[in-house]
Amino acid sequence: MLNRAPLRVLIAAPRGFCAGVDRAIQIVELALERFGAPVYVRHEIVHNRFVVERLRDLGAVFVDELDEVPDDRPVVFSAHGVPKSVPAAAQSRALTYVDATCPLVSKVHRQAQRLIEEGRHILFIGHAGHPEVIGTFGQVPHGAMTLIETIDHVADLSVPDEANLAFLTQTTLSVDDTAAIVDALKARFPSIRAPRSEDICYATSNRQAAVKAIAPECDRMLVIGAPNSSNSLRLAEVAERIGVPARLIERASDIDWDWLGEPRTIGLTAGASAPEVLVREVLDALSERFDVTEEIADHTPERMTFKLPRELVA
Ligand code: 2E4
Ligand code: SF4
């Protein structure tokens, strides 16, 4: 096509699938091979409808709650983790279940349990209603953990015993917001126990850093991800904070061309649950309207991999 305006697209790296998402998807695929269809999955395995639809085509059935799973079919728990009551209920019904909780979420679960055993009250930084938060709260007795959503919560917190506090966080938070909340917590409760290592995971921090690296050169930022995907939402937020207008889109047809305007350079990234095929789709859609030059940002490759559950590989 003639007269297309030039457009430089800076493609963030790393972007897209993390090791926990790869593993969770593989678990559903292997469960389908091992048990045949249908395999039930409690909650979206990851927050992406293209991933969910592909697995549905292979024979997965997605449900909200365990009581929707028939007694004679296996069930997979999503990457976000589940309250302890869920595997307990599965056991009491003698259901076959496979847990696809990301090992980095399970690590936070174990930390929570350990802190409670030590008699500490936990301040948990996270987003109300998110399945990971529900899952982590479900590892400890009711009332043993208090949710902190914003820095403003810190000032008016009332805690049982200031000398016996600890904090933990959701894995997909804003690195910057969380650092500010942690500083406020440490200022107010100097003896608060911090996690041994950061709970925000490597994939979350790397994807946010990748957006920060390209944003200063961008007029607009497109983030591929679902509206209920916490880590993807954070990527759009990071760009906006730097002053780059950003939009979260599920796929190419969501691009608002009026909003995009006639930029010289745009940034493109994808959340940890968004498949790379959608990045290609967006680049193709951009190429139909602009004379696109693609540039992939330099980065250190991610080498993280997680073992699959023994019951699926034996
Ligand atoms: C589990 C933990 O948590 P978020 O909403 O970002 O989940 P999503 O499914 O989008 O990403 C994968 C994932 C799963 C991230 N952390
Ligand atoms: Fe695991 Fe991090 Fe991926 Fe979440 S974003 S699934 S915690 S690796």
Side-chain angles (χ1 to χ4, degrees), residues 81-117:
V82 288
K84 268 185 174 176
S85 57
V86 173
Q91 268 161 26
S92 73
R93 283 179 56 198
L95 288 178
T96 300
Y97 66 87
V98 189
D99 189 356
T101 303
C102 175
L104 299 181
V105 173
S106 302
K107 187 188 88 180
V108 180
H109 289 183
R110 286 194 299 276
Q111 285 178 297
Q113 286 164 351
R114 207 173 311 124
L115 290 165
I116 297 304
E117 281 159 19

Side-chain angles (χ1 to χ4, degrees), residues 17 21 25 28 32 39 41-63 78 80 226 228 250 273 275 278:
F17 281 7
V21 165
I25 294 170
V28 179
L32 281 160
V39 164
V41 183
R42 185 189 174 280
H43 193 74
E44 289 183 323
I45 186 74
V46 298
H47 291 146
N48 189 277
R49 75 157 91 155
F50 305 95
V51 171
V52 165
E53 275 161 18
R54 190 181 72 83
L55 293 172
R56 197 177 273 142
D57 287 346
L58 294 175
V61 176
F62 290 86
V63 295
S78 84
H80 315 93
N228 59 341
E250 291 198 79
S273 44
L278 297 174

Side-chain angles (χ1 to χ4, degrees), residues 21 46-47 79-80 105 130 132 171-172 228-232 272-273:
V21 165
V46 298
H47 291 146
H80 315 93
V105 173
H130 188 280
E132 182 181 327
T171 57
T172 53
N228 59 341
S229 167
S230 170
N231 79 86
S232 309
S273 44

